[in-house]
């Protein structure tokens, strides 16, 4: 008697119907146009919250604006950009024929921030990579082999993990789902403010009369009052009451409700969830320049670097695994580009200490090399301590000879 398949096997069969995986690039391209070219819109309710939108766009746009490259690490530790490598083109300029690298990384990172993971299908035949919206992705683990397979609406068949580029948030969890309570509070505060001002700054009131009224008359009076005196278009309109009606407003000053304090608190909570310094999303308008500079450094080291490292390791694991000397690199130094004076002082110090050459500094500033600019220089008055006495003796001897 044949044994009954396990529940994992039955779930796997039901999802993929035991389809044989075929790349189906032409089908993928058709579906890609369908997803993005014919009005398919995927949004997230969490982006309606101003603080979530600010944090997600700040992180995604910052990473998307970084210069990505494939570099070869030499035996001496030197790093050389391999601009002709096909992966370099994919990650820095054109992942596929439909979008540029900026839009691709923006969508990958924003999906990971909103849904917990960002996905891209790797077409190894044409050496392209296509963003797949996280909202339509599903995956399952084959109970026989332990391998993970992916699928999405309209996919030509199950996609193996090796051909799926995946950038995950902390432990692959969906931040907007895990922090649902905090986000719900923020959305409620935001909706309250919107409704409050739409209603002309009034919370409502009691319309009363000593006269007996039928249910129909009560409904008519309520509809009339809402139509004539409620809403921002009727704000501050003078009401004339007849029939013994009296109106008692139920108004609580926003100061007593601590509306602004609660709104600020929920915004800080969201910034804390995404580990974004408040000044980076415009919360602290009176932040001093020195404090802002420290928050920029905090944003780079505490927020951007972990995401960048996730992406770099996934590129190396999925796209550069055939050569261990090749690495993916996002230039995060551009985040610390200060004003012209600060950069000049920074380069001047490195030049004096012999850390960088003139041409290396010029390359950092996007300038071409100059003749003789590859030499490294040191100040003559900087010598080891154990040679100080001999240096002093030589100077004294030289002065005596001149006399």
């Amino acid at each position: 008697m044949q044994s009954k398949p396990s529940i994992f096997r039955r779930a796997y069969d039901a999802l993929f119907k035991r389809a044989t995986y075929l790349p189906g690039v032409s089908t993928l391209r058709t579906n890609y146009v369908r997803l993005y070219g014919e009005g398919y819109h995927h949004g997230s309710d969490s982006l309606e919250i101003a603080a979530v939108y600010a944090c997600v766009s700040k992180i995604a746009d910052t990473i998307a604006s970084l210069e990505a490259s494939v570099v070869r690490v030499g035996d001496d530790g030197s790093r050389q950009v391999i601009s002709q490598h096909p992966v370099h083109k994919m990650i820095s300029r054109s992942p596929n024929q439909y979008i540029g690298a900026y839009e691709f990384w923006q969508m990958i990172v924003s999906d990971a921030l909103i849904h917990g993971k960002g996905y891209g299908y790797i077409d190894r035949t044409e050496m392209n990579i296509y963003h797949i919206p996280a909202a339509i992705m599903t995956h399952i683990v084959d109970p026989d082999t332990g391998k993970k397979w992916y699928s999405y609406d309209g996919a030509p068949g199950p996609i193996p993990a090796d051909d799926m580029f995946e950038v995950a948030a902390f432990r692959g969890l969906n931040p907007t789902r895990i922090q649902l309570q905090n986000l719900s509070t923020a959305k409620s505060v935001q909706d309250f403010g919107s409704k409050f001002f739409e209603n002309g700054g009034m919370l409502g009131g009691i319309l009363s009369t000593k006269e007996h009224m039928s249910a129909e008359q009560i409904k008519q009076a309520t509809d009339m009052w809402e139509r004539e005196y409620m809403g921002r278009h009727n704000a501050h309109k003078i009401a004339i009451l007849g029939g013994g009606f009296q109106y008692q407003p139920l108004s609580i000053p926003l100061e007593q409700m601590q509306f602004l304090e609660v709104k600020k608190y929920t915004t800080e909570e969201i910034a804390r969830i995404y580990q974004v310094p408040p000044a980076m999303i415009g919360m602290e308008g009176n932040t001093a320049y020195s404090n802002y500079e420290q928050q920029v450094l905090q944003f780079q080291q505490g927020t951007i670097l972990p995401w960048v490292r996730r992406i770099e390791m996934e590129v190396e694991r999925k796209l550069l695994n055939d050569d261990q000397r090749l690495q993916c690199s996002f230039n995060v130094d551009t985040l610390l580009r200060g004003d012209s004076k600060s950069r000049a002082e920074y380069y001047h110090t490195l030049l004096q200490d012999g850390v960088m050459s003139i041409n290396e500094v010029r390359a950092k500033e996007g300038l071409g090399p100059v003749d003789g600019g590859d030499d490294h220089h040191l100040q003559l008055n900087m010598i080891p301590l154990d040679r100080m006495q001999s240096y002093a003796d030589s100077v004294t001897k030289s002065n005596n000879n001149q006399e």
Side-chain angles (χ1 to χ4, degrees):
M1 182 178 179
Q2 187 176 3
S3 61
K4 185 178 180 180
S6 68
I7 185 173
F8 298 104
R9 167 56 61 190
R10 296 198 302 273
Y12 181 79
D13 293 344
L15 178 61
F16 293 117
K17 298 180 180 178
R18 307 306 300 157
T20 302
Y21 170 70
L22 296 174
V25 176
S26 60
T27 306
L28 175 68
R29 290 175 178 169
T30 302
N31 291 329
Y32 197 79
V33 173
R34 177 178 63 81
L35 293 177
Y36 291 101
E38 296 183 1
Y40 180 92
H41 300 285
H42 168 257
S44 175
D45 292 340
S46 61
L47 287 179
E48 296 179 4
I49 304 173
V52 174
Y53 185 94
C55 290
V56 171
S57 61
K58 186 66 177 179
I59 297 174
D61 285 338
T62 300
I63 295 176
S65 64
L66 298 178
E67 180 183 356
S69 58
V70 173
V71 298
R72 183 184 299 276
V73 181
D75 296 334
D76 58 352
S78 60
R79 299 167 65 86
Q80 179 185 4
V81 176
I82 311 299
S83 58
Q84 301 303 318
H85 197 284
V87 175
H88 180 88
K89 166 183 168 292
M90 290 170 58
I91 66 175
S92 66
R93 188 166 60 252
S94 179
N96 57 70
Q97 63 268 43
Y98 298 108
I99 61 173
Y102 187 100
E103 291 80 4
F104 175 80
W105 291 121
Q106 184 189 64
M107 290 189 290
I108 289 288
V109 175
S110 60
D111 267 4
L113 290 167
I114 297 171
H115 301 285
K117 293 183 180 180
Y119 297 99
Y121 170 73
I122 303 171
D123 173 16
R124 300 188 185 276
T125 303
E126 301 291 336
M127 286 306 294
N128 288 326
I129 184 169
Y130 300 86
H131 167 252
I132 306 297
I136 65 173
M137 285 292 300
T138 58
H139 72 271
I140 196 169
V141 178
D142 189 327
D144 295 336
T145 63
K147 292 183 178 180
K148 183 184 289 188
W149 296 80
Y150 296 84
S151 184
Y152 62 91
D153 296 344
I159 303 173
D162 291 341
D163 289 343
M164 184 59 66
F165 187 87
E166 180 178 351
V167 176
F170 175 69
R171 301 190 68 175
L173 300 175
N174 184 336
T176 58
R177 182 178 300 170
I178 297 297
Q179 298 295 330
L180 181 61
Q181 188 173 7
N182 285 322
L183 298 183
S184 297
T185 301
K187 186 66 167 61
S188 298
V189 172
Q190 183 171 294
D191 290 344
F192 170 81
S194 176
K195 292 295 183 182
F196 179 81
F197 290 105
E198 279 186 6
N199 200 33
M202 299 179 64
L203 296 178
I206 299 175
L207 194 62
S208 62
T209 180
K210 296 180 180 179
E211 302 294 333
H212 175 74
M213 297 180 65
S214 65
E216 181 63 25
Q217 290 174 326
I218 293 175
K219 184 178 185 305
Q220 290 177 358
T222 302
D223 293 342
M224 182 277 295
W225 184 264
E226 292 180 349
R227 182 177 65 253
E228 297 294 334
Y229 303 112
M230 299 292 287
R232 64 180 182 273
H233 299 296
N234 295 320
H236 311 298
K237 189 175 181 180
I238 298 176
I240 301 176
L241 302 178
F245 279 104
Q246 291 183 347
Y247 178 73
Q248 179 183 354
L250 298 177
S251 178
I252 304 175
L254 291 183
E255 292 82 359
Q256 295 183 15
M257 298 179 61
Q258 296 184 321
F259 174 75
L260 294 180
E261 288 78 1
V262 173
K263 188 173 179 64
K264 180 180 179 181
Y265 171 76
T266 56
T267 302
E268 290 176 345
E269 281 288 282
I270 293 173
R272 189 177 296 113
I273 292 170
Y274 285 107
Q275 302 181 26
V276 176
M280 303 303 297
I281 57 174
M283 275 194 62
E284 301 175 2
N286 298 325
T287 303
Y289 177 78
S290 57
N291 292 337
Y292 179 79
E293 192 174 25
Q294 289 300 315
Q295 292 199 37
V296 171
L297 182 62
Q298 178 186 349
F299 179 66
Q300 184 221 27
Q301 295 180 347
T303 308
I304 299 301
L305 279 181
W307 282 102
V308 165
R309 191 60 188 135
R310 289 186 185 108
I311 296 173
E312 289 176 342
M313 294 183 70
E314 184 69 359
V315 171
E316 293 168 5
R317 191 167 70 96
K318 296 289 181 65
L319 299 172
L320 299 175
N321 54 357
D322 57 339
D323 191 339
Q324 298 300 317
R325 294 176 299 174
L326 295 180
Q327 293 183 356
C328 171
S329 175
F330 281 74
N331 185 12
V332 296
D333 292 340
T334 56
L335 295 177
L336 298 179
R337 288 176 64 93
D339 53 42
S340 299
K341 181 181 178 181
S342 300
R343 295 205 311 276
E345 293 174 351
Y346 170 73
Y347 290 138
H348 183 68
T349 301
L350 294 180
L351 284 171
Q352 283 188 330
D353 293 345
V355 178
M356 297 181 70
S357 67
I358 294 176
N359 281 342
E360 287 173 336
V361 172
R362 291 177 62 84
K364 288 282 187 181
E365 290 295 303
L367 302 174
V370 296
D371 294 338
D374 293 327
D375 296 331
H376 292 253
H377 304 276
L378 284 173
Q379 294 188 57
L380 291 177
N381 58 350
M382 297 183 65
I383 60 175
L385 291 176
D386 58 359
R387 298 182 57 186
M388 179 63 72
Q389 186 60 47
S390 60
Y391 174 74
D393 294 341
S394 65
V395 171
T396 302
K397 182 178 179 180
S398 176
N399 292 336
N400 291 337
N401 292 337
Q402 290 179 0
E403 294 177 356

